[in-house]
Amino acid sequence: MRIPHVLSAIIFSTLIALLIFIPIPYGSVEPWSEAVFECVAFALAFLWCVHAMLSGSWFTEDLRVFLPVIGLMVLAILQSLSFSHESVAGVSVMNSISADPFESWVFALRLSALVLVGLLATNFIRGSLRLTIFVNAILVSATIAAVFGVVRLTMQHHDGFLLSSLPSGGGFAQFINKNHFAFFIEPAMGLLVMMTLLDRRAGHRRLLYLSGMILLWATLIMSRSRGGLIAVSVQMIIAAVFFIYTHHWFANRNGRGRRIRTVTVVLVAIIATAVVVVLATVWLGGDQLSTGFETATVEMTSKSDDNHVGARRRDIWRATLQMWRAHPIVGAGLGGYWAEIPAYHDASGMLSPQQAHDDYLELSASAGIVGVGLFVWFVVALLQTARKALDSFTGIQRVFAIGAIVGILGVCVHSLIDFGLHITANALVFVMLLALLSLKPINQRPRAQEHRNAAFS
């Protein structure tokens, strides 16, 4: 009878290990690190099957947000299948929907591993102790990346710094692309800001939360990620809205005078925070950050340039729209964007884009109307799941849920101009935020009692 408890502990501990270690090797972008993640995910799925057979239970949580993602995985598999053959120069060539059937199959495999990890998290986060450990793992992983980013920024003078492929003067922390670091920070920032504002039992821990927020914000500025700064700024606004909503509801129960004082304090706090954020951004970012925002106008300009290599986002987005029009129903293949886009990319040919720098446009071009429909389904399911979490969760679980919502919205805003969810580590944390919203309400018993029960189990 103890075997299910042991398997549950192993599965949960491995999920925590994934959150800590998967981001370390460049965010797990290399084939070997992606393979390690997928093998671990499928091994955990096997242990889950054994646990289910011994315990007699499978799903007990709300999994609606994962269903459209599973639908996208099925679409990628269908796109990778060959439906005819033809002879080209004496060579037999397979025809499929995807421009790169192998990459579509790899996309489906990676997505299935992410879905499995998300389902495992929803099924094995039981009790407030595990929930707290799980959220702290996300925060610790982001903090480690931020500290490493500061150390690397101040100490690296040559290519290779602990990790051999880290270029001098490029990327940030362990990420080759500075924007991928920003994607990794945004979920943790959403959790931290709501824990600071809404956790009434935080006490002196609130100073720790605030210190973590300052560290993450400072490193985000140091990374000079324009999309990251915009996304986190939006997160701060959303966090203020949640704070006002929560305290306005509380004030309605305690009289009009309390409500006026609360709103006044909130407005003053928002103004003060905005001033501090602007000053900190200018102080830490300096001329380099200003130059970064100036180059954004060059990327968006409609002015023609005969010498451009097609690296501007405007050029890539125009080509992606043309690719969508050419494959409107089921797209050119999930994972096959890089192989199809050269036919529509009007540039010198020196550079061919590998991503659309807009995940929504890339999804439309790669999966067509079917993919757009799956995305709409995902948005509706996410809204329903978030509403359910806000209505049914209490205490610290509700705080974590609101933090997950803020983190998800930050990632969604940043995805308008970048492709951070292509990185395994970022996609993993995003899926974990979805899992936090999909949990059942947890009985938040006193911590000491929970430790005793865990020891006896």
Side-chain angles (χ1 to χ4, degrees), residues 44-61 63 116 119-120 122-124 126:
L44 291 179
F46 172 75
L47 294 181
W48 184 15
C49 293
V50 176
H51 178 276
M53 288 188 293
L54 294 175
S55 63
S57 64
W58 282 89
F59 299 107
T60 56
E61 284 75 24
L63 305 177
L116 281 174
L119 295 179
L120 287 164
T122 61
N123 207 51
F124 290 95
R126 301 192 180 278

Side-chain angles (χ1 to χ4, degrees), residues 19-20 52 89 156 159 174 228 237 239 259 277-278 324 360 364 456:
L19 284 171
I20 299 297
Q156 183 179 10
D159 290 347
Q174 71 269 35
I237 296 173
R259 180 171 66 252
V277 166
V278 171
W324 184 14
Y360 306 103
S364 302
F456 282 112

Side-chain angles (χ1 to χ4, degrees), residues 26-68:
Y26 316 106
S28 289
V29 296
E30 296 184 332
W32 70 265
S33 55
E34 293 178 350
V36 168
F37 167 70
E38 292 163 9
C39 289
V40 172
F42 288 112
L44 291 179
F46 172 75
L47 294 181
W48 184 15
C49 293
V50 176
H51 178 276
M53 288 188 293
L54 294 175
S55 63
S57 64
W58 282 89
F59 299 107
T60 56
E61 284 75 24
D62 184 2
L63 305 177
R64 75 184 80 181
V65 75
F66 292 102
L67 295 179

Side-chain angles (χ1 to χ4, degrees), residues 30 86 154 172 192 201 223 263 268 279 310 318 323 420 424:
E30 296 184 332
E86 63 177 305
T154 55
F172 196 80
L192 273 176
R201 299 181 301 174
S223 71
V263 173
V268 172
L279 292 177
R318 183 190 300 115
M323 179 176 163
T424 303

Side-chain angles (χ1 to χ4, degrees), residues 61-386:
E61 284 75 24
D62 184 2
L63 305 177
R64 75 184 80 181
V65 75
F66 292 102
L67 295 179
V69 184
I70 295 174
L72 195 66
M73 178 186 67
V74 173
L75 176 61
I77 294 174
L78 294 176
Q79 290 175 331
S80 69
L81 299 178
S82 60
F83 54 87
S84 66
H85 297 262
E86 63 177 305
S87 179
V88 178
V91 178
S92 178
V93 178
M94 296 184 299
N95 292 322
S96 61
I97 296 174
S98 175
D100 189 336
F102 176 75
E103 284 299 323
S104 293
W105 175 255
V106 171
F107 178 92
L109 186 65
R110 186 180 304 123
L111 197 60
S112 63
L114 289 167
V115 170
L116 281 174
V117 170
L119 295 179
L120 287 164
T122 61
N123 207 51
F124 290 95
I125 298 178
R126 301 192 180 278
S128 59
L129 178 60
R130 284 193 178 185
L131 177 63
T132 303
I133 292 174
F134 185 79
V135 172
N136 284 334
I138 297 175
L139 301 180
V140 167
S141 185
T143 302
I144 292 174
V147 171
F148 180 67
V150 175
V151 173
R152 180 189 167 201
L153 184 66
T154 55
M155 297 183 63
Q156 183 179 10
H157 303 291
H158 306 284
D159 290 347
F161 185 78
L162 297 184
L163 298 172
S164 59
S165 297
L166 290 179
S168 177
F172 196 80
Q174 71 269 35
F175 294 89
I176 304 298
N177 188 320
K178 62 185 179 181
N179 295 307
H180 298 164
F181 168 78
F183 267 93
F184 191 65
I185 292 300
E186 288 152 12
M189 183 66 82
L191 290 168
L192 273 176
V193 67
M194 299 318 303
M195 291 165 65
T196 303
L197 293 176
L198 299 182
D199 188 1
R200 296 178 180 176
R201 299 181 301 174
H204 295 298
R205 293 197 307 274
R206 187 169 280 109
L207 295 176
L208 183 62
Y209 301 156
L210 186 60
S211 300
M213 287 175 55
I214 294 173
L215 172 64
L216 297 184
W217 180 259
T219 53
L220 192 64
I221 296 172
M222 293 176 186
S223 71
R224 303 194 301 276
S225 171
R226 297 164 299 188
L229 289 173
I230 294 172
V232 173
S233 299
V234 172
Q235 284 182 308
M236 294 299 178
I237 296 173
I238 296 171
V241 171
F242 271 114
F243 182 74
I244 293 173
Y245 169 79
T246 302
H247 283 262
H248 182 268
W249 175 84
F250 181 77
N252 283 337
R253 301 176 60 191
N254 293 272
R256 182 174 179 273
R258 179 64 179 272
R259 180 171 66 252
I260 294 176
R261 290 195 299 271
T262 300
V263 173
T264 302
V265 170
V266 169
L267 291 177
V268 172
I270 292 175
I271 295 173
T273 302
V275 172
V276 171
V277 166
V278 171
L279 292 177
T281 302
V282 173
W283 178 54
L284 292 172
D287 295 336
Q288 293 178 329
L289 187 62
S290 301
T291 302
F293 278 102
E294 289 174 1
T295 59
T297 59
V298 177
E299 293 191 16
M300 303 302 175
T301 183
S302 58
K303 183 179 179 180
S304 62
D305 182 3
D306 294 336
N307 297 321
H308 82 275
V309 295
R312 298 179 303 183
R313 279 178 169 80
R314 180 184 178 88
D315 301 323
I316 297 174
W317 292 345
R318 183 190 300 115
T320 304
L321 286 172
Q322 293 175 0
M323 179 176 163
W324 184 14
R325 296 189 189 102
H327 306 275
I329 307 301
V330 291
L334 293 161
Y337 177 88
W338 73 275
E340 183 71 14
I341 193 63
Y344 310 96
H345 191 224
D346 182 17
S348 64
M350 184 180 299
L351 176 67
S352 180
Q354 303 296 299
Q355 295 85 19
H357 290 270
D358 184 329
D359 279 341
Y360 306 103
L361 273 179
E362 184 166 341
L363 176 66
S364 302
S366 301
I369 296 175
V370 176
V372 173
L374 289 171
F375 176 73
V376 172
W377 180 14
F378 172 78
V379 171
V380 172
L382 180 59
L383 292 174
Q384 293 174 343
T385 303

